[in-house]
Amino acid sequence: MQKINNKKSNRLINEKNPYLLQHAYNPVEWYPWGEEAFERARKEDKPIFLSIGYSTCHWCHVMAHESFEDEEVAEMMNKVFINIKVDREERPDIDSIYMQVCQMITGSGGWPLTVIMTPDKKPFFAGTYFPKESVINRIGIKDLVSRVDELWRTSKEDILLSADDMVRRISQSSNGQSGEIRENVFYKTKEILGKSYDEVFGGFGNSPKFPIAHNLYFLMSYSYFHEDSDSMGMVNRTLKKMGTGGIYDHIGFGFHRYSTDREWLVPHFEKMLYDQALLLKAYTNAWQITREEYYRKMVYEIIDYVSRELLSEDGGFYSAEDADSEGIEGKFYLWKASELREVLGDDYELCKKYFCVKEEGNYRDERTGKFNGDNILHSGCEYVAVDMDLISEVDKNKIELIRKSLFEVREQRVHPFKDKKILTDWNGLMMESLALAGRVFRERAFTEIAIRNFGYLKSKKTQDGLLFHSIENEIPANLDDYAFLCSGLIELYGTTFDIKYIKEAVAFQEVLIKHFCDEEKGGFFFTSDFSEELIIRKKEIYDGAIPSGNSVQLMNLVRLYRITGDIRFKNVIEEIIRCFSGSINEYPVAYTYFLNSLMLYLNTSREVVLVVKEFEQVVGYLEYLNDKFIPNLSIIVKTETNGDEISEVAKFTSDMIMLDNKPTLYLCSENKCEYPINDDNLIKEKLKAL
């Protein structure tokens, strides 16, 4: 929440980034990341206090209010340190390195991320949130500053040796362990997920619970390839419990970041673009598999939220909405029973039953820890069945009218802060999910949003055809930006069959292979060979809140190899697998998106090539394929107008023609094709059987 006031500003006032601007009036003399700060640190022989967060981070706000806005703390920090602020969303390259440091030192991580380092960027201390004053088992920021000041003056040589050792350690652990993938790795991963699966409330682990969509992608693919109903059972229960819980916004739609409890009831209220994108894909895939109407409903609602709140006029997607409004977490989303009665009148009793309202509330005040009448609306109580079979049609209609009434009232409240950064990687994730949903549900409007989104991102490329990560601030693109956007382009091709999207994806692969690929050991670095030089150049493989760029790249290359037949892609695939197999064998459940991609690669491919005179002739055939969940299926449509382009991109289709001037089907697998079919009924039978 940027505050405009009469206080003296610091150097962040000249920045465009929303998170940095939130701290522009702190008495702490913040610098943005840059040579000016490091030069001053070297000149004055001071350590650097690096604070990394993001604009919608609740605990970042807490630490700022407690410490960075405090004159006493600021005076101490300004005397001892050169202070730098970084937005982890805008500079994930910096955040990734120092988050790894924090995890190595403390065993955990999170934001705000606090790192103390030498003037040459080498870290020697790290942690997350620190209160102003020391409490039991947690040092306060005042005592921390004093302690570091003393050590820097009395034991600097030891500090420098420690920092050098830390850089050595993170360098050794940052590029993955090579090896051969174990044969039972998929089964082992499914078993690990099964052991941590919550059979009552779905999800994995106890609390807090995160909506890790790629665990669900893995289980859906495992269920498909291994005919394993248990895997799909875990997916179904998790998606339904999440969708009925308080982690989902039942009034305005969209998912909050995570649940603080086992039941998915009490969320951390921020909303992130990437969560909407990843879960949109999960609910779409679940509908393809089950045909349950509940999943269709969730897809439409998520898209409603994203297009209403996060879509810019130009077609780009904003990053996030804050957890806080008026300085209180969740205030925008909470309801007292008395307020609901006043708004709804006679419909209150149905609202109470459906949205599980309690007079005493179900949400504890974060300051007192007590119930004060606030309710998180959810539909996880006994009255509600997920498929709503137990609810009459009359009540269903009334519930929707109740929701709309509450939405209109809520719109009059002070809204949470919206971070309007547009990040290429997160936009790529949303583009992919929208293109998939457009195809599966035959909704041209969804596809059009994805097409327009790519048009916006394409318009922001450099003259050399390179991407930016953060559009407004023109931060150079990283691996995730290219990989996630390529994934979106491949999905757009699968929906529109416009070959230009595959050509764009192939062009971006050329950039990745030239500037990001580790030709010696395999895999892709997070940063390019012309990016700013940091203390190490990392290769990310861990699939955390979002999948890693290498995991998505593996999927992209598998799909592009099967569409184009280009052997170069197969060679890079094999190098990626070798590069990271040792790491994955050790703890495979941390790499479920990578394993999902690997599962696709190792299972028999299915390529469908339809050769027709004009595209309209193929529409009827695509009806048999577009809404099916067939992970290993690739479709190519070749017409008179695009035939030359298709043959250029996918050379194996060059000799594929219409037989007897009739629509002709070529079914291929593992570089071999069956005899072509041009009988209409037989084509339909073949496609139905896939």
Side-chain angles (χ1 to χ4, degrees):
M1 295 75 55
Q2 183 182 351
K3 292 183 179 179
I4 305 300
N5 52 41
N6 295 321
K7 292 182 180 180
K8 182 182 177 182
S9 62
N10 55 49
R11 289 169 178 80
L12 300 183
I13 195 64
N14 297 315
E15 298 299 307
K16 298 178 182 178
N17 178 275
Y19 177 62
L20 301 188
L21 287 171
Q22 287 176 359
H23 296 270
Y25 288 94
N26 291 170
V28 176
E29 295 176 2
W30 293 114
Y31 282 81
W33 180 277
E35 187 53 35
E36 182 185 2
F38 299 116
E39 179 59 33
R40 183 179 169 193
R42 288 189 289 267
K43 183 178 180 180
E44 298 183 12
D45 190 25
K46 286 184 176 181
I48 288 170
F49 185 99
L50 173 64
S51 178
I52 302 177
Y54 54 103
S55 69
T56 58
C57 166
H58 173 66
W59 284 102
C60 299
H61 300 331
V62 173
M63 192 167 174
H65 296 325
E66 289 180 347
S67 298
F68 302 149
E69 295 173 5
D70 184 272
E71 296 285 350
E72 180 186 11
V73 173
E75 183 178 359
M76 295 177 67
M77 291 177 63
N78 295 338
K79 179 181 177 182
V80 174
F81 299 121
I82 301 301
N83 302 288
I84 296 178
K85 263 286 176 191
V86 166
D87 180 350
R88 68 106 174 174
E89 295 170 353
E90 188 166 80
R91 291 301 304 267
D93 51 343
I94 297 169
D95 176 64
S96 175
I97 292 171
Y98 294 106
M99 183 59 73
Q100 184 178 353
V101 170
C102 182
Q103 290 165 339
M104 292 178 73
I105 291 175
T106 70
S108 62
W111 298 276
L113 175 60
T114 303
V115 179
I116 302 177
M117 58 189 188
T118 68
D120 54 358
K121 310 174 189 176
K122 297 178 181 179
F124 58 88
F125 176 86
T128 53
Y129 161 77
F130 293 94
K132 178 182 175 181
E133 305 287 352
S134 295
V135 294
I136 298 173
N137 296 327
R138 185 181 286 271
I139 190 171
I141 193 74
K142 289 168 61 179
D143 288 339
L144 175 62
V145 174
S146 298
R147 181 64 175 148
V148 173
D149 183 32
E150 178 187 354
L151 289 171
W152 189 258
R153 286 185 286 104
T154 62
S155 306
K156 187 164 66 173
E157 288 187 7
D158 291 339
I159 287 175
L160 296 178
L161 287 173
S162 173
D164 287 338
D165 182 61
M166 178 56 66
V167 173
R168 180 185 58 78
R169 288 168 60 197
I170 60 175
S171 297
Q172 290 176 345
S173 63
S174 293
N175 292 323
Q177 298 178 36
S178 61
E180 298 295 326
I181 204 76
R182 291 177 185 156
E183 290 184 8
N184 68 341
V185 69
F186 303 117
Y187 176 77
K188 181 179 178 182
T189 305
K190 185 251 182 178
E191 288 294 294
I192 295 172
L193 287 171
K195 288 176 181 177
S196 66
Y197 172 64
D198 184 338
E199 294 184 355
V200 178
F201 295 103
F204 305 93
N206 203 345
S207 64
K209 268 186 180 170
F210 291 84
I212 302 177
H214 25 283
N215 286 348
L216 306 179
Y217 302 161
F218 170 84
L219 288 169
M220 284 188 272
S221 292
Y222 188 90
S223 178
Y224 177 84
F225 287 117
H226 296 85
E227 298 181 356
D228 183 87
S229 60
D230 289 345
S231 298
M232 198 59 212
M234 287 189 271
V235 172
N236 278 321
R237 191 160 194 81
T238 298
L239 288 175
K240 289 175 181 177
K241 287 296 184 180
M242 282 170 47
T244 57
I247 191 174
Y248 186 67
D249 177 4
H250 292 261
I251 303 304
F253 310 141
F255 279 91
H256 299 297
R257 179 65 198 95
Y258 63 87
S259 175
T260 63
D261 59 357
R262 176 189 173 196
E263 294 86 355
W264 302 107
L265 172 60
V266 181
H268 184 46
F269 286 93
E270 65 188 291
K271 290 180 178 178
M272 312 300 294
L273 175 65
Y274 60 77
D275 282 324
Q276 316 312 318
L278 294 168
L279 290 169
L280 173 58
K281 179 179 175 181
Y283 280 98
T284 302
N285 287 158
W287 183 87
Q288 289 178 293
I289 295 167
T290 68
R291 289 298 198 273
E292 290 191 35
E293 201 59 27
Y294 174 73
Y295 293 136
R296 180 199 294 266
K297 171 179 174 289
M298 291 297 293
V299 166
Y300 279 70
E301 289 182 357
I302 293 170
I303 294 174
D304 184 321
Y305 163 70
V306 169
S307 57
R308 184 183 70 243
E309 297 293 345
L310 298 181
L311 183 60
S312 75
E313 291 183 0
D314 295 331
F317 291 105
Y318 300 136
S319 295
E321 289 192 296
D322 206 334
D324 301 6
S325 55
E326 301 181 79
I328 300 173
E329 181 176 13
K331 183 175 182 179
F332 180 76
Y333 300 99
L334 301 173
W335 299 84
K336 294 191 186 309
S338 57
E339 183 182 12
L340 293 168
R341 268 193 294 268
E342 182 180 346
V343 172
L344 298 172
D346 293 341
D347 288 333
Y348 169 71
E349 288 301 320
L350 178 58
C351 172
K352 179 180 177 180
K353 287 167 63 178
Y354 183 79
F355 289 119
C356 314
V357 178
K358 296 181 178 180
E359 290 292 330
E360 69 275 17
N362 59 23
Y363 177 70
R364 296 181 189 275
D365 188 295
E366 66 174 349
R367 294 159 295 186
T368 66
K370 298 179 180 179
F371 293 116
N372 64 358
D374 285 329
N375 283 277
I376 302 165
L377 302 189
H378 66 105
S379 58
C381 42
E382 290 183 10
Y383 174 71
V384 183
V386 167
D387 58 12
M388 299 182 76
D389 284 346
L390 302 182
I391 303 175
S392 70
E393 286 300 320
V394 172
D395 279 358
K396 286 180 185 179
N397 293 332
K398 283 185 178 180
I399 289 165
E400 178 57 16
L401 291 174
I402 287 170
R403 186 199 67 79
K404 289 180 178 178
S405 296
L406 295 181
F407 177 79
E408 290 174 5
V409 171
R410 199 178 76 174
E411 282 295 282
Q412 305 308 310
R413 297 176 177 178
V414 176
H415 282 242
F417 169 78
K418 189 174 297 181
D419 187 332
K420 293 188 176 181
K421 284 196 314 295
I422 296 179
L423 304 175
T424 296
D425 51 353
W426 298 2
N427 274 249
L429 291 174
M430 183 52 71
M431 183 198 308
E432 176 189 2
S433 295
L434 283 165
L436 174 66
R439 176 169 75 253
V440 169
F441 296 105
R442 300 175 175 84
E443 286 284 359
R444 182 64 187 177
F446 299 167
T447 306
E448 288 293 342
I449 300 173
I451 290 171
R452 187 163 173 255
N453 181 234
F454 176 63
Y456 169 81
L457 296 174
K458 185 178 179 180
S459 73
K460 302 298 180 180
K461 289 195 301 183
T462 70
Q463 290 184 341
D464 297 328
L466 302 177
L467 297 171
F468 291 115
H469 169 61
S470 179
I471 300 297
E472 185 178 26
N473 288 332
E474 297 188 347
I475 304 295
N478 55 57
L479 169 62
D480 289 4
D481 297 305
Y482 286 99
F484 296 0
L485 184 55
C486 280
S487 189
L489 289 167
I490 295 168
E491 205 65 64
L492 263 179
Y493 171 73
T495 299
T496 65
F497 296 100
D498 189 333
I499 194 61
K500 72 182 180 185
Y501 296 118
I502 291 297
K503 294 173 79 171
E504 293 275 8
V506 169
F508 286 134
Q509 288 300 320
E510 299 294 343
V511 174
L512 284 165
I513 292 170
K514 181 178 180 180
H515 295 293
F516 290 82
C517 191
D518 183 347
E519 295 182 358
E520 181 182 350
K521 297 180 179 179
F524 290 84
F525 292 108
F526 187 74
T527 53
S528 69
D529 55 9
F530 53 82
S531 297
E532 175 188 353
E533 186 174 347
L534 302 174
I535 54 173
I536 62 168
R537 193 177 178 203
K538 288 189 70 176
K539 281 189 280 189
E540 294 284 356
I541 185 59
Y542 172 65
D543 296 324
I546 59 176
S548 74
N550 274 291
S551 297
V552 176
Q553 259 299 83
L554 180 57
M555 179 68 78
N556 290 340
L557 289 163
V558 171
R559 296 177 74 185
L560 285 173
Y561 171 56
R562 290 178 173 171
I563 291 171
T564 67
D566 191 332
I567 195 66
R568 293 180 308 154
F569 295 147
K570 187 177 191 301
N571 294 336
V572 180
I573 289 167
E574 296 288 349
E575 290 167 1
I576 293 176
I577 295 169
R578 278 194 297 271
C579 177
F580 298 112
S581 289
S583 300
I584 290 165
N585 287 333
E586 285 187 5
Y587 192 59
V589 77
Y591 313 102
T592 50
Y593 198 104
F594 188 96
L595 288 170
N596 192 39
S597 305
L598 182 61
M599 200 184 320
L600 179 64
Y601 179 60
L602 295 180
N603 277 278
T604 303
S605 66
R606 296 180 180 183
E607 288 86 48
V608 167
V609 182
L610 286 160
V611 185
V612 294
K613 185 178 181 63
E614 52 192 20
F615 185 78
E616 286 68 22
Q617 292 177 290
V618 85
V619 172
Y621 298 132
L622 294 176
E623 295 288 319
Y624 295 100
L625 301 174
N626 279 348
D627 58 4
K628 289 184 178 181
F629 181 74
I630 311 175
N632 54 340
L633 176 65
S634 302
I635 306 172
I636 296 174
V637 176
K638 188 174 180 181
T639 68
E640 279 191 349
T641 54
N642 74 6
D644 291 341
E645 282 187 287
I646 292 286
S647 297
E648 180 183 346
V649 172
K651 292 183 170 55
F652 73 95
T653 68
S654 298
D655 296 329
M656 295 181 179
I657 59 173
M658 285 192 293
L659 300 181
D660 300 328
N661 206 33
K662 294 162 63 176
T664 304
L665 168 68
Y666 294 80
L667 281 177
C668 305
S669 178
E670 304 300 319
N671 302 315
K672 294 177 290 185
C673 296
E674 299 177 12
Y675 193 78
I677 302 168
N678 67 347
D679 178 270
D680 182 67
N681 291 325
L682 191 53
I683 290 175
K684 290 175 181 177
E685 287 180 18
K686 286 283 187 180
L687 296 180
K688 284 181 184 178
L690 288 176

